[in-house]
Amino acid sequence: MKEKFTKAMFAGSFDPITNGHLDIICRASKIFDELQIGVLYNPNKKGLFNFDERIELIKSCTSHLDNIKIVSFDGLLVDYCDANGISTLVRGVRSEADVNYELQMAHMNKELNPEIETIFLPTNTKYSFISSSLIKEVLTFDADVKNLVPEQVLIALKNKHKGREL
Ligand code: PNS
């Protein structure tokens, strides 16, 4: 019997991608045949990095992985997955608080489309406290975040900081 080609989705805002995201991406890419990284397109929500910048940063941080596809979506995530043959949503969980929030989302997504499963990957402990928002916050005070984000992101963050956009 032919084995099924498995496609999964790791979605988020990625403003910007962090080492925590990257850790989940690398691990999930080993589990599935194809991992799509879905960047939420929301023109009404202005982040630090614009949509194209986020995608470029993800692209450059994941270029060593050969089964990654970077895509954008708006509307419901499960609708995008349904239309593109994706059966699994991957979510990273850092803490008990994350589990509560993520469970709520997983149940809602299951309600919206029972065919699509969510799987949780526990974050690597060394990244368990990282979030894009916290990184942006501490960087406004010139904190050193070099262990928390990929090098390309660090450079991009410093450039934004210089331009006082943080
Ligand atoms: O960066 P985040 O906050 O972890 O990303 C959350 C995201 C983008 C995965 C979630 O908000 C989402 O799926 N948004 C698309 C709209 C949708 O499907 N909402 C229902 C979620 S239960």
Side-chain angles (χ1 to χ4, degrees), residues 15-34:
D15 184 36
I17 184 169
T18 67
N19 282 346
H21 292 129
L22 202 51
D23 172 60
I24 297 292
I25 290 168
C26 291
R27 288 159 58 203
S29 77
K30 291 184 193 148
I31 301 173
F32 298 97
D33 294 316
E34 178 180 290

Side-chain angles (χ1 to χ4, degrees), residues 58-103:
I58 298 170
K59 222 181 254 175
S60 75
C61 299
T62 57
S63 57
H64 59 295
L65 301 168
D66 61 8
N67 62 341
I68 297 291
K69 192 169 163 189
I70 301 163
V71 298
S72 63
F73 71 99
D74 56 6
L76 285 177
L77 180 59
V78 288
D79 288 349
Y80 174 87
C81 291
D82 191 38
N84 291 278
I86 298 168
S87 55
T88 309
L89 302 173
V90 175
R91 300 292 296 167
V93 287
R94 295 165 293 195
S95 61
E96 203 178 323
D98 267 3
V99 172
N100 287 336
Y101 172 65
E102 293 294 337
L103 261 183

Side-chain angles (χ1 to χ4, degrees), residues 75-134:
L76 285 177
L77 180 59
V78 288
D79 288 349
Y80 174 87
C81 291
D82 191 38
N84 291 278
I86 298 168
S87 55
T88 309
L89 302 173
V90 175
R91 300 292 296 167
V93 287
R94 295 165 293 195
S95 61
E96 203 178 323
D98 267 3
V99 172
N100 287 336
Y101 172 65
E102 293 294 337
L103 261 183
Q104 210 182 349
M105 282 220 295
H107 289 313
M108 177 57 87
N109 282 326
K110 189 82 179 156
E111 172 71 21
L112 297 172
N113 187 331
E115 298 300 315
I116 296 177
E117 296 292 348
T118 298
I119 66 156
F120 297 142
L121 285 183
T123 309
N124 186 317
T125 44
K126 66 181 175 187
Y127 302 133
S128 62
F129 60 95
I130 302 182
S131 69
S132 302
S133 334
L134 262 189

